[in-house]
Amino acid sequence: MGLIDANLVPAVDGVAFGLLLFVAAAGLTLAFGTGDVLNLAHGTLYTVGGYSAAALCDGTWRGLLLALVAGTAAAAVGGALLAALTAPLRRRGHLAQALLTFGLALIGGDLLSSAAGGGDLPVAFPAALNGSVLLAGHRFPVHRLALIAVAAALAGAGQLVLTRTRAGALVRATVDDPQMVSCLGTDPRRVHAGVLVAGGALAGLAGVLGAPVIGPGPGSADTVLLLSLVVVVLGGLGSVGGALVAAVAVGEVQTLGVVLAPGLAPYLLFAAMAGALVLRSRTPGRRA
Amino acid sequence: MLEIQGLGAGYGGGTVLHGIDLTLPEGSMHAVLGHNGAGKTTLLHTVAGLVRPSRGSVTLAGRRLDGQPPHRIAQAGVGLVPQGRRVFARLTVAEHLALAHRRPRGQAAPWTPQAVLRLLPRLDERRSQLGGRLSGGEQQMLALARALLGQPRLLLLDEPTEGLAPAVADEVLALTRRLADDGLTVLLAAPQLRTAAAVAERLTVLTAGRTTATQDGAAARTDPSPLLAALSFTPDLEATP
């Protein structure tokens, strides 16, 4: 009991971090599932949201709202751009796509950080989000609790769209068998483009929401891409449910793991990923 | 209705089809016979647009289909029931039907999910089941329902009785025969001569990507020797149920 009590704050922090990663990585896993495109510019879409937050957040709720709208919209446009640019490379395999999206990530990252001045940028959230509240004898940062609520709501809404709507069924069908989707009269490339736009929007939204966790800066795109890739690999390519579990696990390793085993935490993530890959190579993977 | 002329196709440089000619009148069923690797699936996939033809033409009701992407060909009225069924494992039966239901503007759209379920009542009982949880026979019915909801004028059936119990296989074939009687044009790929001859108006044997024999269904039911000769009398072909 004492151990749980002592580590409750980092554990809650880990849930917040994990859900943020899930919102950021959901689009990456679905884009891979529907289009077989591994989008290495995905972290850059997150930073588009982060830089929007830095530019538009002025400590007021209005500024935050503006940043949420602008960051989401700009990252959605980024997703559309990626869809248009990767479309001609579909038949060329993963290496060509990885090179293109990686190149776009480098260019986009450079443009963003040179426009913003290079260093890590502060983001001024409304004062109410910067404080902490006393719950069950512990002080929790308000931002993390709000992040958990918003990200959980987003995850729930996303799950509803995916499981209860025709568009969601189309996405799941495309993950399963894009050829058969085309035989039903729907161009799977359009489904894939839609997923890239929606996934980009989610990554941008995460970039604004998560600015106090992984803020805008020259290294943030790489951090988000790397963690998202870990989430996608651990959760199973194309699997949203798996990504959710994996994201929370990664969040806990990054927060609770650092508190409990500071020496091991940096290796734990990649050990888990290697373990998942070895395991998956023996059992056929489940998807979406 | 369907006119296939000099159709050639293959994968990655290797040619599988060497100039196929077939003509299917409206409302007829044409069976393509042949061993594994003879090119039956490639022929159906090329008509459906999943394989790009290297030469020749495919014309459906006067409209050229060759070279078009599969979704355009589906919109033009071609439905595919693929080998191995390929139902979406993680979608329910009801989701399959909703997703497959097309209502093209300015065209007849007789098939609705309700109409399909009346034709295939067993699917009605399984509406909330996932595609991957259905029996082989139910998956075959679902694959057929999915194709019909696209409002096809031409139905491509790739070994629809494969892996089914004989009674279910007969049911599937009788059903397709009824669809053809109602005006649907059907191109059937089948490994067994006897079952195909029972339902098809015309039969063609494919050997290594070439048509080597063709016969009317009525003639094949009394004396299929030209087809058997083309199939080289392979005994296991007739022995398989």
Side-chain angles (χ1 to χ4, degrees):
Chain A
M1 201 61 205
L3 189 73
I4 293 175
D5 205 45
N7 295 301
L8 195 61
V9 176
V12 169
D13 214 24
V15 172
F17 194 78
L19 287 174
L20 174 69
L21 272 183
F22 173 68
V23 174
L28 186 65
T29 196
L30 277 181
F32 189 86
T34 55
D36 216 20
V37 171
L38 194 51
N39 173 16
L40 295 182
H42 196 73
T44 311
L45 296 175
Y46 175 96
T47 52
V48 167
Y51 281 109
S52 305
L56 295 167
C57 283
D58 53 2
T60 66
W61 288 102
R62 197 174 153 274
L64 177 59
L65 196 67
L66 209 62
L68 284 170
V69 172
T72 307
V77 171
L81 197 69
L82 278 168
L85 291 171
T86 51
L89 295 182
R90 279 177 66 85
R91 290 174 192 280
R92 293 203 164 205
H94 288 146
L95 187 62
Q97 295 165 358
L99 277 174
L100 174 71
T101 55
F102 190 59
L104 289 171
L106 291 176
I107 295 168
D110 245 26
L111 285 176
L112 282 170
S113 67
S114 65
D120 288 342
L121 294 185
V123 176
F125 267 29
L129 288 175
N130 292 331
S132 60
V133 283
L134 196 65
L135 278 177
H138 295 280
R139 296 206 75 84
F140 293 98
V142 177
H143 171 262
R144 298 300 190 273
L145 297 180
L147 184 59
I148 288 176
V150 174
L154 279 171
Q159 190 65 19
L160 275 181
V161 169
L162 209 54
T163 56
R164 293 290 144 87
T165 67
R166 192 177 187 278
L170 191 57
V171 169
R172 283 180 292 135
T174 309
V175 170
D176 201 4
D177 192 339
Q179 262 195 351
M180 281 320 298
V181 167
S182 70
C183 286
L184 300 183
T186 304
D187 188 354
R189 286 173 300 186
R190 287 183 58 182
V191 180
H192 174 60
V195 165
L196 273 175
V197 171
L202 277 177
L205 187 57
V208 180
L209 292 171
V213 182
I214 303 174
S220 52
D222 294 345
T223 307
V224 172
L225 176 65
L226 202 60
L227 291 174
S228 298
L229 286 176
V230 174
V231 165
V232 168
V233 169
L234 278 180
L237 292 166
S239 164
V240 173
L244 177 60
V245 175
V248 173
V250 169
E252 290 300 346
V253 170
Q254 291 288 85
T255 52
L256 201 58
V258 171
V259 175
L260 294 179
L264 283 176
Y267 307 104
L268 211 55
L269 270 187
F270 297 98
M273 192 165 98
L277 284 174
V278 169
L279 214 71
R280 194 135 325 121
S281 70
R282 289 172 195 180
T283 52
R286 284 178 56 186
R287 317 184 95 195
Chain B
M1 183 65 179
L2 176 70
E3 191 91 39
I4 297 172
Q5 282 180 333
L7 192 66
Y11 306 91
T15 307
V16 180
L17 299 180
H18 303 269
I20 304 289
D21 298 296
L22 284 180
T23 304
L24 279 72
E26 186 165 359
S28 70
M29 191 191 287
H30 197 127
V32 183
L33 304 163
H35 300 294
N36 285 337
K40 302 188 298 288
T41 295
T42 306
L43 174 62
L44 266 55
H45 279 196
T46 309
V47 174
L50 295 175
V51 176
R52 248 185 125 80
S54 52
R55 62 191 176 93
S57 67
V58 177
T59 314
L60 181 71
R63 188 173 158 192
R64 281 288 288 268
L65 298 183
D66 49 276
Q68 301 231 29
H71 64 276
R72 291 256 180 265
I73 293 177
Q75 288 164 7
V78 176
L80 172 68
V81 179
Q83 188 174 24
R85 276 85 73 169
R86 288 170 72 173
V87 300
F88 302 115
R90 313 270 292 159
L91 260 61
T92 65
V93 168
E95 283 174 332
H96 275 85
L97 303 184
L99 207 61
H101 189 200
R102 281 183 61 243
R103 281 151 289 188
R105 261 168 287 164
Q107 276 180 43
W111 292 107
T112 61
Q114 293 78 16
V116 173
L117 290 175
R118 274 198 297 279
L119 186 74
L120 306 163
R122 273 168 68 195
L123 284 183
D124 205 6
E125 301 159 23
R126 296 274 183 275
R127 286 173 73 150
S128 53
Q129 288 267 332
L130 293 178
R133 294 282 174 84
L134 301 176
S135 71
E138 288 162 352
Q139 286 190 346
Q140 193 62 57
M141 303 284 179
L142 183 54
L144 182 60
R146 183 175 65 180
L148 289 176
L149 284 166
Q151 322 296 348
R153 289 189 281 182
L154 169 70
L155 192 63
L156 306 169
L157 282 167
D158 199 351
E159 305 206 5
T161 57
E162 187 187 34
L164 300 186
V168 186
D170 289 348
E171 198 185 332
V172 168
L173 285 175
L175 198 65
T176 18
R177 183 61 249 174
R178 254 166 62 204
L179 292 169
D181 290 339
D182 288 344
L184 195 63
T185 309
V186 180
L187 182 56
L188 167 75
Q192 301 122 27
L193 169 63
R194 197 166 20 198
T195 47
V199 289
E201 272 102 357
R202 205 157 169 78
L203 299 100
T204 295
V205 173
L206 225 57
T207 309
R210 290 181 173 85
T211 52
T212 47
T214 187
Q215 211 180 3
D216 278 336
R221 283 189 282 277
T222 51
D223 176 22
S225 52
L227 299 176
L228 285 174
L231 289 165
S232 332
F233 292 100
T234 309
D236 63 345
L237 205 72
E238 285 297 279
T240 43

